[in-house]
Amino acid sequence: MRRASVATVLSLALACAACAQQPAAPPKPSPSSTASPTAAAAATLAAPSTPPVRVTNADCPEPPRPADQFRVTTTAATWKLLDLPERPGALRGGTPGPGGELWAVHDKDWQQGTPVRLTGGDWTDAGLPPGMTTVHQLTATPGGQVWVATPAADAWQVAVHDGGGWRALSIAAPKVDNQPSLSGGDGGWVSYADAAVHWDGARWTHLRLPEDQGPEVGTEQPLRTPYRLAASGGEVWALPYQGSRAVRIRDGVPQQVWFELKIDKRGAIHDNQGGAFYPQAVAVPGPDETWVFGSAAFGTHDSVDAEDTAAGRLVALREAGGRWTCTWGPFHREGFSDTFQDAVEDGRGGVWVATDGKMWHFADGRWTGQPLPVGKAGRPIAQVMDLVRAGDEVYALGAIVTEGTSHAATWRLTGS
């Protein structure tokens, strides 16, 4: 999962908690494969002609501010911190490889990324591809290849790993004037700027994403934002870093989903978010069930520190049988910074979701939670960047932060 720069500190805290993972300046990719097709071979996936799905407060009426509908109860730990040699930095961009093994990007200093894979219970460096000094994005294609990309001056550098090592690919890429941060890759999908592309082993498919998120709060200017991708249960979602209009791709068909529900803005001061809901993570536990996790917030003023702050609450949206319902967390009047970092289906009809060093689980109609083990003295903090299924295993990837130092961490769900 989970990101790119956004316009304001408030939105950064609420909609993009792990934005610092994401590098800058992605030009538009063109096809890459053993055949190295050209940009002209890409097919355009047209936007649907039907109106977007709209999720509003009529679907999800907001309960009173003190209400906590999650009612998370603490359970015994089921996540195990893998005892691995310390690596500075963090792990992100987890994806299962062709054989079910886990791949990821190791960010040594939030700037330099190296592809790694979990082999024999340990992370091993897969090495940097020829000509690359860092890797920004990693994904596995349905064609059975792992490929990485990093932006260059007017094109992407792309390399593919097909079992024997990295092989650099030559691609043609038209220059993109608007070059925000490169976003996530899942199942052969990669997003950049206001578009997403998919490589199926034979050709690229190109999908235009909404160019703006409607008017920015307090202005008449359109809010433009890059997207990150979330793949789960056969669906791919393009989630905006700042904004409420997402795109769901199911069976190759894109559909816009506009989350128009808002929270009561009593107490809003210097507000630039308008109480809007921002989607942050997606999990699809079944063919007729989708969860979208996020937060809704507005700007206000801290009565103690006399500084601008945020007020808001966490929200989980569930679609079942075409009907949307919501679970609301308690309202935080000041200092709200909670986010859902990532989510994943548990393989048994439930979902796991990471938030602020804790793991929440929904199964059998109730929410339970547990802190992630950190295995260190002092006051270490667990920070999750990605939740990913690889074969029959479920992993959480991220870092353990202690007194300003960060070391990559991997947790595995026991019994998965």
Side-chain angles (χ1 to χ4, degrees):
M1 320 217 136
R2 15 11 130 319
R3 307 185 157 50
S5 61
V6 293
T8 65
V9 174
L10 175 62
S11 294
L12 177 64
L14 296 176
C16 190
C19 290
Q21 302 175 56
Q22 295 302 327
K28 177 181 177 180
S30 291
S32 61
S33 73
T34 53
S36 296
T38 65
T44 299
L45 190 59
S49 58
T50 57
V53 172
R54 297 175 183 266
V55 185
T56 71
N57 287 82
D59 303 293
C60 297
E62 182 185 8
R65 286 184 166 182
D68 180 6
Q69 296 178 340
F70 287 101
R71 296 188 295 274
V72 179
T73 58
T74 302
T75 60
T78 55
W79 288 87
K80 178 183 178 182
L81 174 65
L82 299 188
D83 186 16
L84 302 174
E86 286 192 346
R87 291 171 173 260
L91 291 167
R92 63 170 177 86
T95 187
E101 74 279 11
L102 182 61
W103 286 72
V105 175
H106 173 217
D107 275 326
K108 297 179 181 179
D109 54 7
W110 305 105
Q111 298 292 329
Q112 184 179 8
T114 303
V116 293
R117 55 183 171 179
L118 195 59
T119 304
D122 193 9
W123 287 105
T124 58
D125 291 327
L128 284 168
M132 290 190 187
T133 59
T134 185
V135 164
H136 285 179
Q137 206 52 244
L138 178 150
T139 189
T141 71
Q145 300 172 332
V146 174
W147 59 273
V148 295
T150 193
D154 294 320
W156 277 8
Q157 291 178 285
V158 178
V160 62
H161 195 289
D162 48 15
W166 295 108
R167 177 168 50 83
L169 299 177
S170 175
I171 64 173
K175 184 176 181 180
V176 176
D177 293 331
N178 180 21
Q179 298 181 0
S181 295
L182 187 67
S183 187
D186 283 289
W189 283 91
V190 171
S191 68
Y192 65 97
D194 56 359
V197 291
H198 179 245
W199 177 244
D200 65 3
R203 67 173 185 171
W204 288 103
T205 299
H206 178 275
L207 171 64
R208 298 293 296 184
L209 300 172
E211 294 183 358
D212 64 71
Q213 292 289 321
E216 190 168 4
V217 174
T219 75
E220 295 181 356
Q221 300 299 317
L223 174 60
R224 301 184 184 278
T225 182
Y227 292 77
R228 64 188 180 278
L229 297 180
S232 179
E235 293 186 11
V236 177
W237 283 73
L239 303 176
Y241 284 125
Q242 185 185 7
S244 302
R245 299 180 180 180
V247 176
R248 170 169 56 189
I249 306 166
R250 178 190 289 170
D251 297 327
V253 179
Q255 179 185 44
Q256 292 190 31
V257 183
W258 292 10
F259 297 100
E260 297 180 341
L261 69 159
K262 295 186 177 183
I263 59 174
D264 183 349
K265 294 198 301 176
R266 279 176 295 146
I269 302 173
H270 301 161
D271 179 31
N272 62 352
Q273 189 162 336
F277 170 81
Y278 282 4
Q280 297 162 340
V282 173
V284 182
D288 195 33
E289 182 181 15
T290 299
W291 287 84
V292 179
F293 300 91
S295 60
F298 56 80
T300 185
H301 209 63
D302 192 306
S303 59
V304 176
D305 296 333
E307 295 180 352
D308 289 345
T309 184
R313 61 200 307 177
L314 292 173
V315 191
L317 287 75
R318 178 175 179 260
E319 183 194 31
R323 178 173 177 263
W324 290 90
T325 56
C326 290
T327 303
W328 297 80
F331 177 78
H332 297 259
R333 187 178 303 276
E334 297 172 346
F336 177 72
S337 61
D338 292 345
T339 58
F340 288 113
Q341 301 292 346
D342 202 8
V344 68
E345 65 277 15
D346 66 5
R348 300 179 176 88
V351 296
W352 284 95
V353 59
T355 173
D356 295 334
K358 298 180 180 180
M359 298 298 303
W360 293 5
H361 186 224
F362 180 83
D364 300 323
R366 70 187 185 104
W367 287 94
T368 57
Q370 54 187 268
L372 285 171
V374 290
K376 289 186 176 183
R379 294 186 177 181
I381 299 172
Q383 185 175 8
V384 174
M385 309 296 180
D386 281 289
L387 297 178
V388 59
R389 292 185 61 87
D392 295 328
E393 303 284 357
V394 181
Y395 295 90
L397 306 180
I400 295 176
V401 182
T402 308
E403 297 179 351
T405 63
S406 174
H407 292 279
T410 306
W411 295 268
R412 185 177 62 218
L413 180 62
T414 60
S416 61

